[in-house]
Amino acid sequence: WQSMLINKPPDAGTKTSRHPLHQDLHYFPFRPADRIVAAWTAMEHIDDQNGCLVVQPGTHKLALQQHDYPEWENGVNKMYHGIRGAENNPRIQLHMEKGDTVFFHPLLIHGSGSNKTKNFRKALCCHYATSNIDYINVAGTSQENIAKEVEDIARRRGIVMDFIDLWKFRSRDVKGACASHL
């Protein structure tokens, strides 16, 4: 239902090309999580020098954690929320070759380091969900902060919709019929 070309720029010394450890479910206003999967494909050789993915195995069994902007020197890019303290836990770097794909659960804690090379690092990430999902009201939850941020960005671009309607607008059925409750 959603795809992203990730064109990670070379870091200019500010470390803003890194993406803090997070769970993708933080960005999604629908459930259940077990009906969502990410497919992350390397479009070139990816390693710790150009900002490979790092994962914390087994964390897909955790609940959705509180996300916020990390208190990092030089900050992070807009909407790059992370789980404070997650960087203190063990993680594995995923070195990948062009065409390699990793599939993961939306609760898996993952992120990526800075791109220390002079070239952009390219990957494609697609998220898939069954049409049998339910949108949830994120007011009063740990996701309220990202919902407000997304709504504010849309409003500045002349689009006035709530978080759920924005997701419905940008989501696409890949195969099959849209569930009747959407």
Side-chain angles (χ1 to χ4, degrees), residues 7 10 30 37 46 48 51 57 64-65 81 89 95 100 105-106 108-109 126-127 129 131 137 154-155 167 171:
N7 198 26
F30 34 84
V37 66
I46 296 178
D48 55 322
L64 182 61
Q65 306 294 302
H81 294 187
N89 299 326
H95 292 195
D100 287 351
H105 192 279
L108 179 74
I109 297 175
C126 298
H127 288 93
S131 61
N137 181 352
R155 194 170 9 268
W167 267 105
S171 298

PDB file of all heavy atoms in Angstrom, residues 7 10 30 37 46 48 51 57 64-65 81 89 95 100 105-106 108-109 126-127 129 131 137 154-155 167 171:
ATOM      1  N   ASN A   7      16.753   7.630  -0.683  1.00  0.00           N
ATOM      2  CA  ASN A   7      17.946   8.143  -1.345  1.00  0.00           C
ATOM      3  C   ASN A   7      18.778   8.877  -0.291  1.00  0.00           C
ATOM      4  O   ASN A   7      18.818  10.098  -0.254  1.00  0.00           O
ATOM      5  CB  ASN A   7      17.516   9.067  -2.492  1.00  0.00           C
ATOM      6  CG  ASN A   7      18.615   9.297  -3.486  1.00  0.00           C
ATOM      7  OD1 ASN A   7      19.511   8.484  -3.660  1.00  0.00           O
ATOM      8  ND2 ASN A   7      18.546  10.430  -4.165  1.00  0.00           N
ATOM      9  N   PRO A  10      24.838  11.788   1.261  1.00  0.00           N
ATOM     10  CA  PRO A  10      26.090  11.776   2.029  1.00  0.00           C
ATOM     11  C   PRO A  10      25.943  12.727   3.217  1.00  0.00           C
ATOM     12  O   PRO A  10      25.314  13.784   3.101  1.00  0.00           O
ATOM     13  CB  PRO A  10      27.125  12.313   1.047  1.00  0.00           C
ATOM     14  CG  PRO A  10      26.497  12.193  -0.303  1.00  0.00           C
ATOM     15  CD  PRO A  10      25.025  12.252  -0.105  1.00  0.00           C
ATOM     16  N   PHE A  30      -3.275   2.062  11.845  1.00  0.00           N
ATOM     17  CA  PHE A  30      -4.140   0.909  11.624  1.00  0.00           C
ATOM     18  C   PHE A  30      -3.546  -0.327  12.277  1.00  0.00           C
ATOM     19  O   PHE A  30      -2.361  -0.384  12.585  1.00  0.00           O
ATOM     20  CB  PHE A  30      -4.408   0.670  10.137  1.00  0.00           C
ATOM     21  CG  PHE A  30      -3.270   1.009   9.234  1.00  0.00           C
ATOM     22  CD1 PHE A  30      -2.242   0.114   9.004  1.00  0.00           C
ATOM     23  CD2 PHE A  30      -3.220   2.235   8.604  1.00  0.00           C
ATOM     24  CE1 PHE A  30      -1.189   0.425   8.165  1.00  0.00           C
ATOM     25  CE2 PHE A  30      -2.167   2.570   7.759  1.00  0.00           C
ATOM     26  CZ  PHE A  30      -1.149   1.648   7.546  1.00  0.00           C
ATOM     27  N   VAL A  37       3.633  -5.842   6.760  1.00  0.00           N
ATOM     28  CA  VAL A  37       5.017  -6.275   6.592  1.00  0.00           C
ATOM     29  C   VAL A  37       5.762  -5.229   5.758  1.00  0.00           C
ATOM     30  O   VAL A  37       5.180  -4.589   4.880  1.00  0.00           O
ATOM     31  CB  VAL A  37       5.109  -7.674   5.926  1.00  0.00           C
ATOM     32  CG1 VAL A  37       4.608  -7.653   4.494  1.00  0.00           C
ATOM     33  CG2 VAL A  37       6.534  -8.237   6.009  1.00  0.00           C
ATOM     34  N   ILE A  46      25.257  -2.093   0.294  1.00  0.00           N
ATOM     35  CA  ILE A  46      24.979  -1.284   1.483  1.00  0.00           C
ATOM     36  C   ILE A  46      25.703  -1.888   2.676  1.00  0.00           C
ATOM     37  O   ILE A  46      25.603  -3.094   2.933  1.00  0.00           O
ATOM     38  CB  ILE A  46      23.454  -1.188   1.760  1.00  0.00           C
ATOM     39  CG1 ILE A  46      22.770  -0.457   0.592  1.00  0.00           C
ATOM     40  CG2 ILE A  46      23.187  -0.482   3.079  1.00  0.00           C
ATOM     41  CD1 ILE A  46      21.270  -0.340   0.715  1.00  0.00           C
ATOM     42  N   ASP A  48      28.025  -0.535   6.624  1.00  0.00           N
ATOM     43  CA  ASP A  48      28.038   0.473   7.692  1.00  0.00           C
ATOM     44  C   ASP A  48      28.623   1.802   7.234  1.00  0.00           C
ATOM     45  O   ASP A  48      28.379   2.828   7.867  1.00  0.00           O
ATOM     46  CB  ASP A  48      28.749  -0.056   8.944  1.00  0.00           C
ATOM     47  CG  ASP A  48      30.144  -0.556   8.676  1.00  0.00           C
ATOM     48  OD1 ASP A  48      30.377  -1.171   7.613  1.00  0.00           O
ATOM     49  OD2 ASP A  48      31.010  -0.337   9.525  1.00  0.00           O
ATOM     50  N   GLY A  51      25.485   3.696   5.602  1.00  0.00           N
ATOM     51  CA  GLY A  51      24.273   3.785   6.416  1.00  0.00           C
ATOM     52  C   GLY A  51      23.336   2.607   6.307  1.00  0.00           C
ATOM     53  O   GLY A  51      22.148   2.771   6.040  1.00  0.00           O
ATOM     54  N   PRO A  57      17.064  -7.846  16.870  1.00  0.00           N
ATOM     55  CA  PRO A  57      16.294  -9.083  16.703  1.00  0.00           C
ATOM     56  C   PRO A  57      15.397  -9.375  17.904  1.00  0.00           C
ATOM     57  O   PRO A  57      15.763  -9.139  19.055  1.00  0.00           O
ATOM     58  CB  PRO A  57      17.374 -10.157  16.567  1.00  0.00           C
ATOM     59  CG  PRO A  57      18.573  -9.420  16.059  1.00  0.00           C
ATOM     60  CD  PRO A  57      18.498  -8.064  16.716  1.00  0.00           C
ATOM     61  N   LEU A  64       4.234  -1.507  20.985  1.00  0.00           N
ATOM     62  CA  LEU A  64       4.670  -0.238  20.402  1.00  0.00           C
ATOM     63  C   LEU A  64       5.256   0.621  21.521  1.00  0.00           C
ATOM     64  O   LEU A  64       4.614   0.844  22.540  1.00  0.00           O
ATOM     65  CB  LEU A  64       3.494   0.476  19.733  1.00  0.00           C
ATOM     66  CG  LEU A  64       3.809   1.797  19.044  1.00  0.00           C
ATOM     67  CD1 LEU A  64       4.823   1.602  17.911  1.00  0.00           C
ATOM     68  CD2 LEU A  64       2.522   2.417  18.497  1.00  0.00           C
ATOM     69  N   GLN A  65       6.471   1.103  21.317  1.00  0.00           N
ATOM     70  CA  GLN A  65       7.179   1.912  22.306  1.00  0.00           C
ATOM     71  C   GLN A  65       6.911   3.400  22.076  1.00  0.00           C
ATOM     72  O   GLN A  65       6.522   3.814  20.982  1.00  0.00           O
ATOM     73  CB  GLN A  65       8.692   1.653  22.214  1.00  0.00           C
ATOM     74  CG  GLN A  65       9.088   0.187  22.328  1.00  0.00           C
ATOM     75  CD  GLN A  65       8.798  -0.383  23.690  1.00  0.00           C
ATOM     76  OE1 GLN A  65       9.284   0.112  24.697  1.00  0.00           O
ATOM     77  NE2 GLN A  65       7.980  -1.438  23.729  1.00  0.00           N
ATOM     78  N   HIS A  81      11.397  10.172  14.163  1.00  0.00           N
ATOM     79  CA  HIS A  81      11.211   9.867  15.575  1.00  0.00           C
ATOM     80  C   HIS A  81      11.966   8.595  15.916  1.00  0.00           C
ATOM     81  O   HIS A  81      12.194   7.745  15.058  1.00  0.00           O
ATOM     82  CB  HIS A  81       9.736   9.681  15.895  1.00  0.00           C
ATOM     83  CG  HIS A  81       8.931  10.922  15.741  1.00  0.00           C
ATOM     84  ND1 HIS A  81       7.614  10.990  16.120  1.00  0.00           N
ATOM     85  CD2 HIS A  81       9.229  12.155  15.262  1.00  0.00           C
ATOM     86  CE1 HIS A  81       7.133  12.200  15.888  1.00  0.00           C
ATOM     87  NE2 HIS A  81       8.103  12.923  15.346  1.00  0.00           N
ATOM     88  N   ASN A  89      20.746  -0.917  23.454  1.00  0.00           N
ATOM     89  CA  ASN A  89      20.505  -2.353  23.320  1.00  0.00           C
ATOM     90  C   ASN A  89      21.291  -2.932  22.152  1.00  0.00           C
ATOM     91  O   ASN A  89      21.587  -2.224  21.192  1.00  0.00           O
ATOM     92  CB  ASN A  89      19.007  -2.607  23.125  1.00  0.00           C
ATOM     93  CG  ASN A  89      18.188  -2.113  24.307  1.00  0.00           C
ATOM     94  OD1 ASN A  89      18.641  -2.160  25.444  1.00  0.00           O
ATOM     95  ND2 ASN A  89      16.993  -1.628  24.038  1.00  0.00           N
ATOM     96  N   HIS A  95      24.366  -5.839   6.295  1.00  0.00           N
ATOM     97  CA  HIS A  95      25.102  -5.539   5.067  1.00  0.00           C
ATOM     98  C   HIS A  95      24.394  -6.268   3.935  1.00  0.00           C
ATOM     99  O   HIS A  95      24.068  -7.445   4.065  1.00  0.00           O
ATOM    100  CB  HIS A  95      26.551  -5.993   5.175  1.00  0.00           C
ATOM    101  CG  HIS A  95      27.341  -5.196   6.157  1.00  0.00           C
ATOM    102  ND1 HIS A  95      28.698  -5.216   6.209  1.00  0.00           N
ATOM    103  CD2 HIS A  95      26.960  -4.322   7.141  1.00  0.00           C
ATOM    104  CE1 HIS A  95      29.141  -4.414   7.176  1.00  0.00           C
ATOM    105  NE2 HIS A  95      28.081  -3.869   7.746  1.00  0.00           N
ATOM    106  N   ASP A 100      19.261  -7.596  -2.713  1.00  0.00           N
ATOM    107  CA  ASP A 100      18.918  -8.282  -1.464  1.00  0.00           C
ATOM    108  C   ASP A 100      17.708  -7.600  -0.838  1.00  0.00           C
ATOM    109  O   ASP A 100      17.606  -6.368  -0.840  1.00  0.00           O
ATOM    110  CB  ASP A 100      20.074  -8.229  -0.457  1.00  0.00           C
ATOM    111  CG  ASP A 100      21.235  -9.124  -0.812  1.00  0.00           C
ATOM    112  OD1 ASP A 100      21.115  -9.940  -1.752  1.00  0.00           O
ATOM    113  OD2 ASP A 100      22.289  -9.017  -0.138  1.00  0.00           O
ATOM    114  N   HIS A 105       8.631  -7.166  10.433  1.00  0.00           N
ATOM    115  CA  HIS A 105       7.396  -6.830  11.143  1.00  0.00           C
ATOM    116  C   HIS A 105       7.420  -5.344  11.515  1.00  0.00           C
ATOM    117  O   HIS A 105       8.488  -4.791  11.801  1.00  0.00           O
ATOM    118  CB  HIS A 105       7.332  -7.709  12.399  1.00  0.00           C
ATOM    119  CG  HIS A 105       6.030  -7.730  13.103  1.00  0.00           C
ATOM    120  ND1 HIS A 105       5.652  -6.725  13.978  1.00  0.00           N
ATOM    121  CD2 HIS A 105       5.019  -8.635  13.074  1.00  0.00           C
ATOM    122  CE1 HIS A 105       4.457  -7.031  14.460  1.00  0.00           C
ATOM    123  NE2 HIS A 105       4.045  -8.179  13.943  1.00  0.00           N
ATOM    124  N   PRO A 106       6.267  -4.659  11.561  1.00  0.00           N
ATOM    125  CA  PRO A 106       6.256  -3.225  11.866  1.00  0.00           C
ATOM    126  C   PRO A 106       6.624  -2.877  13.312  1.00  0.00           C
ATOM    127  O   PRO A 106       6.807  -1.707  13.628  1.00  0.00           O
ATOM    128  CB  PRO A 106       4.822  -2.806  11.551  1.00  0.00           C
ATOM    129  CG  PRO A 106       4.022  -4.042  11.712  1.00  0.00           C
ATOM    130  CD  PRO A 106       4.918  -5.165  11.274  1.00  0.00           C
ATOM    131  N   LEU A 108       9.381  -4.379  14.718  1.00  0.00           N
ATOM    132  CA  LEU A 108      10.828  -4.596  14.820  1.00  0.00           C
ATOM    133  C   LEU A 108      11.524  -3.248  14.993  1.00  0.00           C
ATOM    134  O   LEU A 108      11.309  -2.320  14.206  1.00  0.00           O
ATOM    135  CB  LEU A 108      11.369  -5.289  13.573  1.00  0.00           C
ATOM    136  CG  LEU A 108      12.874  -5.537  13.589  1.00  0.00           C
ATOM    137  CD1 LEU A 108      13.209  -6.676  14.547  1.00  0.00           C
ATOM    138  CD2 LEU A 108      13.392  -5.837  12.193  1.00  0.00           C
ATOM    139  N   ILE A 109      12.351  -3.132  16.009  1.00  0.00           N
ATOM    140  CA  ILE A 109      13.119  -1.898  16.221  1.00  0.00           C
ATOM    141  C   ILE A 109      14.295  -1.912  15.252  1.00  0.00           C
ATOM    142  O   ILE A 109      15.085  -2.858  15.222  1.00  0.00           O
ATOM    143  CB  ILE A 109      13.581  -1.767  17.685  1.00  0.00           C
ATOM    144  CG1 ILE A 109      12.347  -1.662  18.614  1.00  0.00           C
ATOM    145  CG2 ILE A 109      14.498  -0.554  17.851  1.00  0.00           C
ATOM    146  CD1 ILE A 109      12.684  -1.653  20.098  1.00  0.00           C
ATOM    147  N   CYS A 126       8.918  -1.003   0.690  1.00  0.00           N
ATOM    148  CA  CYS A 126       7.474  -1.105   0.465  1.00  0.00           C
ATOM    149  C   CYS A 126       6.835  -1.718   1.700  1.00  0.00           C
ATOM    150  O   CYS A 126       7.381  -2.661   2.277  1.00  0.00           O
ATOM    151  CB  CYS A 126       7.178  -1.996  -0.740  1.00  0.00           C
ATOM    152  SG  CYS A 126       7.836  -1.373  -2.295  1.00  0.00           S
ATOM    153  N   HIS A 127       5.721  -1.172   2.091  1.00  0.00           N
ATOM    154  CA  HIS A 127       4.936  -1.738   3.184  1.00  0.00           C
ATOM    155  C   HIS A 127       3.654  -2.316   2.588  1.00  0.00           C
ATOM    156  O   HIS A 127       3.015  -1.677   1.750  1.00  0.00           O
ATOM    157  CB  HIS A 127       4.584  -0.670   4.228  1.00  0.00           C
ATOM    158  CG  HIS A 127       5.753  -0.245   5.037  1.00  0.00           C
ATOM    159  ND1 HIS A 127       6.534   0.833   4.698  1.00  0.00           N
ATOM    160  CD2 HIS A 127       6.291  -0.770   6.161  1.00  0.00           C
ATOM    161  CE1 HIS A 127       7.499   0.968   5.590  1.00  0.00           C
ATOM    162  NE2 HIS A 127       7.374   0.011   6.487  1.00  0.00           N
ATOM    163  N   ALA A 129      -0.038  -4.413   3.587  1.00  0.00           N
ATOM    164  CA  ALA A 129      -0.995  -4.771   4.633  1.00  0.00           C
ATOM    165  C   ALA A 129      -2.185  -5.448   3.965  1.00  0.00           C
ATOM    166  O   ALA A 129      -2.519  -5.144   2.816  1.00  0.00           O
ATOM    167  CB  ALA A 129      -1.470  -3.530   5.394  1.00  0.00           C
ATOM    168  N   SER A 131      -6.089  -6.053   3.311  1.00  0.00           N
ATOM    169  CA  SER A 131      -7.181  -5.073   3.278  1.00  0.00           C
ATOM    170  C   SER A 131      -8.074  -5.223   4.504  1.00  0.00           C
ATOM    171  O   SER A 131      -8.925  -4.374   4.756  1.00  0.00           O
ATOM    172  CB  SER A 131      -8.006  -5.223   1.996  1.00  0.00           C
ATOM    173  OG  SER A 131      -8.588  -6.511   1.931  1.00  0.00           O
ATOM    174  N   ASN A 137      -8.106   5.461  16.200  1.00  0.00           N
ATOM    175  CA  ASN A 137      -7.964   6.841  16.639  1.00  0.00           C
ATOM    176  C   ASN A 137      -6.703   6.909  17.497  1.00  0.00           C
ATOM    177  O   ASN A 137      -6.615   6.227  18.516  1.00  0.00           O
ATOM    178  CB  ASN A 137      -9.193   7.254  17.441  1.00  0.00           C
ATOM    179  CG  ASN A 137      -9.132   8.687  17.905  1.00  0.00           C
ATOM    180  OD1 ASN A 137      -8.124   9.362  17.773  1.00  0.00           O
ATOM    181  ND2 ASN A 137     -10.228   9.163  18.468  1.00  0.00           N
ATOM    182  N   ALA A 154       0.843  18.552   6.067  1.00  0.00           N
ATOM    183  CA  ALA A 154      -0.175  18.541   5.009  1.00  0.00           C
ATOM    184  C   ALA A 154      -0.882  19.892   4.928  1.00  0.00           C
ATOM    185  O   ALA A 154      -1.086  20.426   3.827  1.00  0.00           O
ATOM    186  CB  ALA A 154      -1.183  17.421   5.271  1.00  0.00           C
ATOM    187  N   ARG A 155      -1.241  20.457   6.080  1.00  0.00           N
ATOM    188  CA  ARG A 155      -1.936  21.751   6.115  1.00  0.00           C
ATOM    189  C   ARG A 155      -1.076  22.847   5.471  1.00  0.00           C
ATOM    190  O   ARG A 155      -1.570  23.677   4.727  1.00  0.00           O
ATOM    191  CB  ARG A 155      -2.290  22.107   7.565  1.00  0.00           C
ATOM    192  CG  ARG A 155      -3.283  23.220   7.719  1.00  0.00           C
ATOM    193  CD  ARG A 155      -3.824  23.430   9.132  1.00  0.00           C
ATOM    194  NE  ARG A 155      -3.202  22.699  10.226  1.00  0.00           N
ATOM    195  CZ  ARG A 155      -3.610  21.506  10.687  1.00  0.00           C
ATOM    196  NH1 ARG A 155      -4.633  20.898  10.143  1.00  0.00           N
ATOM    197  NH2 ARG A 155      -2.985  20.913  11.688  1.00  0.00           N
ATOM    198  N   TRP A 167      -3.719   8.892   5.447  1.00  0.00           N
ATOM    199  CA  TRP A 167      -3.256   7.529   5.145  1.00  0.00           C
ATOM    200  C   TRP A 167      -4.153   6.860   4.125  1.00  0.00           C
ATOM    201  O   TRP A 167      -3.668   6.185   3.211  1.00  0.00           O
ATOM    202  CB  TRP A 167      -3.133   6.690   6.414  1.00  0.00           C
ATOM    203  CG  TRP A 167      -1.751   6.765   6.958  1.00  0.00           C
ATOM    204  CD1 TRP A 167      -1.339   7.462   8.048  1.00  0.00           C
ATOM    205  CD2 TRP A 167      -0.587   6.165   6.399  1.00  0.00           C
ATOM    206  NE1 TRP A 167       0.014   7.321   8.202  1.00  0.00           N
ATOM    207  CE2 TRP A 167       0.500   6.529   7.205  1.00  0.00           C
ATOM    208  CE3 TRP A 167      -0.347   5.362   5.295  1.00  0.00           C
ATOM    209  CZ2 TRP A 167       1.802   6.111   6.949  1.00  0.00           C
ATOM    210  CZ3 TRP A 167       0.954   4.942   5.039  1.00  0.00           C
ATOM    211  CH2 TRP A 167       2.005   5.314   5.858  1.00  0.00           C
ATOM    212  N   SER A 171      -2.739   5.615   0.465  1.00  0.00           N
ATOM    213  CA  SER A 171      -2.644   4.157   0.365  1.00  0.00           C
ATOM    214  C   SER A 171      -3.246   3.682  -0.948  1.00  0.00           C
ATOM    215  O   SER A 171      -4.166   4.284  -1.488  1.00  0.00           O
ATOM    216  CB  SER A 171      -3.387   3.505   1.531  1.00  0.00           C
ATOM    217  OG  SER A 171      -2.810   3.879   2.749  1.00  0.00           O
TER     218      SER A 171
END
